[in-house]
Amino acid sequence: MLKNYFKIAFRNLWRHRVFSFINIMGLAVGMTACLLIFLYVRFELSYDSFHTKADRIYRIVTDLKTPTELIPTSGPAWPVAPHAKLDFPEVEAYTRVNPDNVLFRKDDIKFMEEGAIWADSAFFQIFNFRLIRGDVRTALIHPFSVVLSETAAKKYFGKDDAFGKTLLITGGAVPATVTGIMKDMPENSQIKSDVVLSMCTLTAEWAKDLDNQWGNYGPYAYLLLKPGTNAQALQKKFPAFLEKWNGEEMKQIQMYPTVLLEKLKDVYLHSTRGDLGSSKSSGNIKNVYIFSIIAAFILIIACINFINLTTARASERAKEVGIRKVAGAIKGQLARQFIGESVIICLIAFLLTLGLAALLLPAFNELAGKTISKGIFENPGLLLLILATSLVIGLLAGIYPAFILSSFNPIEVLKGRYATSSRGATLRKTLVISQFAISTALIIGTIIVYSQMRYMRNQSLGFNKDQVLVIDTNEDKNREALKQAISRLPNVKAVSLSGSVPGSGYAGAYSEVENIKGDLQITNLDVYFVDFDYIPLYNIKMAAGRPYNREFKTDTTQALILNEAAVRTLGYRSPDQAIGKRFKQWGREGKIVGVIKDFHYKSLQNPIKPLCLRMEWPRMGLISVKVNQAGIKGTIADIEKQFKTSIPNRPFSYYFLDEFFDRQYRSEERFGRLFLNFAALAIFISCLGLLGLASYSTMQRTREIGIRKVMGASVSNIINLLSKEFLKLVIISFFIASPVAWYFMHKWLNDFAYRTQISWWIFAVAGILALLIAIITISVQAFRAAVANPVKSLRTE
C-alpha cells in the first residue's frame, strides 16, 4: 500500500510538472531564505554567550550630570573598577579594557596594531579567550607583557615559537615579552583583538597616577560578580561609594556621576552606549526583530503559495476520489494518501533547501559583513526546526484534500455534480491578499530604507571631505617636519595637523564658559585639537568671529572656538553674542574668538553636540592633506617618501576621509542590502504563487475563453477578463499594507537624529510596483490563453 502511495504521488508530480515545480521551488526558496535569516539572527543573539561566566559579568557605564546636561558614557573613571573590588565583597574580579593603536616591531617587521587593547591581569580569568601557551593568572600580571593571537604570532614570528620572545612596542621601542599565545578571538565577541597588553604597563610605569584620576573617563570596565549577587542591589551602593572616594571633587566641579551596571550579554544588542567595536560591530536589536519578522513573512508567503496551489488543484482529483471509493477505499486511506503526497513534496523542498542554503551561504556571509556560519550543518538544531516546519506545512496543505475530498459522495462526483466550494475560493483570495500585503509592505520598507541611506549620503555635512588624505603619525616628534615637507609637494593644496578628523574620535572636556547671564557655566564640550590650517582645509564656515590666525600669538594659549550648538547651550540668541566671552578649560583661561557653523563631525544618526576647537600641539597626530585629483597615485608615492624620511620607524598608512567617514554607515548599508534581497525574495515567491493560481484559473476557464473568442472577444478582452480579479486582490492588499508599513518604518527612522520624511510618493511608487509585478506575472499566462486556438479550447471538454 505504501509503495502504491509513493507511485501515485510521483506520477501526479510528473504529470503536472509545471505546478509541481512552482510549488516545490516556491517553498524551497522560502525555507532557504528563512534558514539563512535564522542563522543571522542566531549569530547576532549569540554575542558573548561563549563566556562561561557571562551571566555574572557586568559592564560599568556612567551617566554624568552637569548643571546643563546629562552625558551618557560607555565607561567609568579609571579608578572605579579597582576601588570597587576593594570596597565590595560581591565583586570577585575586575578588568578594564582600553583600545589603542600601538606600534609593534620585530627586526624589519613593523605594524601599527590598530585593534590592540590594554587589559588588567584578570582579563583571561573573566573572559573565555583560550590561551594555547601561558597561564591565565599571570599572563598580564607584569608590566610590558603582551599576549598575541595565533594570527599575530605567525605575523611576527612565522613558524617559530613566539612564547617568551620579545617585541618592541610604541615609538620608544620599549621591549615587551610575549607571555601568552591565545586562540583567535571568536567572531561573535564584542572584544576582538589580536594583541592584548598588560594594563599595569600604563598604571604602574607610564601613568602612575592614573588609578587616582577620578575625573578621567577612559576605559571600558567589567566586573565579575560572585555567584548569587544581585547586580541591582550592588548598583544602589555606588552613590555612597563615589561620595566616599570623590565627593569633594564632584562638588567642586559640579559633575555628578551615576554608575550603572549593564549585563554583558545585553551590551551588543541593547546598549545605546556602543561597545569596543562600536564603529565596526555594534548590533541593533530592532534590526534583529525586523529580520525575524521578514523571515516569518517569507515563510508565511511560501506556505500560502503551497497551500493555495495544493488546495486549488485538489478539485481536479474529485473523480479520482470517487473511483477509489467505488473500488473500496475507505476515508482514512484516502486521507493518508493526500497528506502523504503533500508531505513528500515538502520533503523534496527541504532537500532542495539544504542544497540552496549551502550554495548561497558564502555569498550571504559576505552580504552580512561577517562569517555568521561556516556551514549549514554547524547548526543541526536549526535544520531540524526547518525539517519540522516543512512537515507541518505538508500536513496543513494536505488536510484540505484529505478530509474534504475524501468525504464526497462518490455517486455525485462520478455523475459530474461536484462543484468547487465557494469557501475554497474565498480562502484562496484571502491568502493571495495576505501574501501581497506582506510583499507590498516590504517594497515600502525597502524604498524607505534606501531613501534614508541616500538622505544621509547627500545631506550637507557642513565641511568638505573630498580629496582629503589622512595620515596617522601617532604623535611622532617629527610630525611637524613631515607636515612642512608634504606642504611643499606640487599636487598638495593644503595640509593640517590635528587630533581628530570628522568621523573619528574626540575628547570630552570639563569646561567653564561665560553664559548669557555673565556667569561661568559648567558644561562638557567635545574637543577637536586643531592647528591654524584646519578650518580652511575642511572649508568649515564661520558663524561669527574669526578662525585661528598665526598673527595672534595668544591663539595657542588663550583662545577657543565653539560651534553653534555650544553657543545655544550657553543661552546666546546669536553666535555674535558669544565672541569675547570668558572660558576656563584644562588649566587654560582666555576668550572665545570665533564660532563655527555646526558641522556633522559624527554620523547623521547622532545630533550635533556642543564642540570646541582647541589648539594643543602635543595632542595632534593626524595630518590631513588636501590633494589634486590629477596624478593622485604619484602624489601618494611622494607623500610616502617624505613619511619614510621623517618617520622611518613607523609603517606608512593612510586613508581617504570620504571613505573613512562613510564607514560609519556600513551597518546601515548592510541592513539595507539584506532588506532589499529578502524583500525581492518575498516578492519572487509571491509571483510564483500568483503565476500558479493564474495558470490554474486559466485552465479552469479554458472552455469559457474558447467560447468568448468565437463570439468575437479580442486578446485584450481576454487578458482583462483573466487579470482583473487578481488585480483587485493586489489593490486590497496595498491598502492593508500601507498603514502597517508606515507604522513600523516610522519607528525604525526614529533611531536617526537626522532622517528623511515618509512621503506620499513612497506609497504611490510601492503600489504601482506591486501592480506592475502582478500584471506582468498574470499577463504572461493570460496572453498565452488569449492567443490560443479556440477550436482546441472547445475540444477540452
Side-chain angles (χ1 to χ4, degrees), residues 736-765:
I736 294 172
S738 295
V740 176
W742 179 89
Y743 174 78
F744 284 104
M745 295 315 297
H746 179 73
K747 292 191 72 173
W748 179 76
L749 285 173
N750 282 340
D751 285 343
F752 298 86
Y754 301 91
R755 51 187 176 268
T756 187
Q757 298 297 315
I758 303 180
S759 304
W760 65 268
W761 65 264
I762 292 174
F763 298 94
V765 169

Side-chain angles (χ1 to χ4, degrees), residues 238-265:
F238 274 98
F241 166 85
L242 292 171
E243 181 65 30
K244 169 188 172 183
W245 289 103
N246 194 38
E248 289 302 318
E249 184 180 355
M250 289 191 300
K251 293 172 186 174
Q252 181 182 348
I253 66 175
Q254 296 185 51
M255 187 175 287
Y256 300 92
T258 300
V259 171
L260 305 170
L261 298 178
E262 289 186 335
K263 200 168 187 176
L264 178 68
K265 287 184 178 180

Side-chain angles (χ1 to χ4, degrees), residues 98 156 159 165 209 226 420 494 523 527 530 553 589 616 625 633 649:
N98 194 47
Y156 291 108
K159 295 182 180 179
K165 300 290 177 61
D209 193 43
K226 291 179 180 178
T420 305
T523 186
V527 184
V530 304
K553 302 301 182 184
E589 296 185 28
E616 192 157 337
V625 186
K633 288 185 179 179
N649 293 325

Side-chain angles (χ1 to χ4, degrees), residues 675-697:
F675 198 103
L676 173 64
N677 280 274
F678 287 120
L681 268 179
I683 294 163
F684 170 74
I685 297 168
S686 296
C687 290
L688 277 181
L690 198 59
L691 178 63
L693 283 177
S695 300
Y696 173 75
S697 177

Side-chain angles (χ1 to χ4, degrees), residues 367-470:
L367 190 65
K370 58 185 78 175
T371 305
I372 61 168
S373 179
K374 294 178 181 177
I376 60 170
F377 295 105
E378 278 188 348
N379 302 275
L382 199 53
L383 296 183
L384 288 174
L385 178 62
I386 296 295
L387 174 60
T389 302
S390 66
L391 292 175
V392 170
I393 294 168
L395 289 171
L396 290 175
I399 285 174
Y400 178 83
F403 293 104
I404 302 299
L405 292 182
S406 61
S407 64
F408 288 149
N409 186 326
I411 297 174
E412 296 290 327
V413 171
L414 292 176
K415 285 182 176 180
R417 294 175 185 172
Y418 166 74
T420 305
S421 169
S422 61
R423 286 179 296 176
T426 302
L427 172 65
R428 287 192 289 277
K429 288 178 182 179
T430 304
L431 294 176
V432 169
I433 290 171
S434 300
Q435 68 177 182
F436 257 88
I438 293 171
S439 298
T440 305
L442 289 174
I443 293 173
I444 294 169
T446 302
I447 295 173
I448 292 173
V449 167
Y450 274 85
S451 294
Q452 176 62 19
M453 293 308 303
R454 187 177 67 252
Y455 175 85
M456 289 196 296
R457 289 194 172 279
N458 296 336
Q459 180 80 351
S460 174
L461 298 173
F463 70 95
N464 192 332
K465 59 184 172 67
D466 298 328
Q467 300 307 123
V468 176
L469 195 74
V470 181

Side-chain angles (χ1 to χ4, degrees), residues 102-116 148-162 167 178 181 184 193-195 651:
V102 181
L103 177 65
F104 276 75
R105 280 186 284 169
K106 180 187 178 292
D107 302 328
D108 294 331
I109 303 172
K110 51 189 176 183
F111 285 99
M112 180 63 72
E113 294 287 354
E114 296 183 354
L148 302 178
S149 70
E150 287 183 292
T151 298
K154 289 177 183 176
K155 180 168 67 176
Y156 291 108
F157 296 95
K159 295 182 180 179
D160 296 338
D161 184 7
L167 288 167
V178 179
I181 308 295
D184 288 357
S193 177
D194 284 325
V195 177

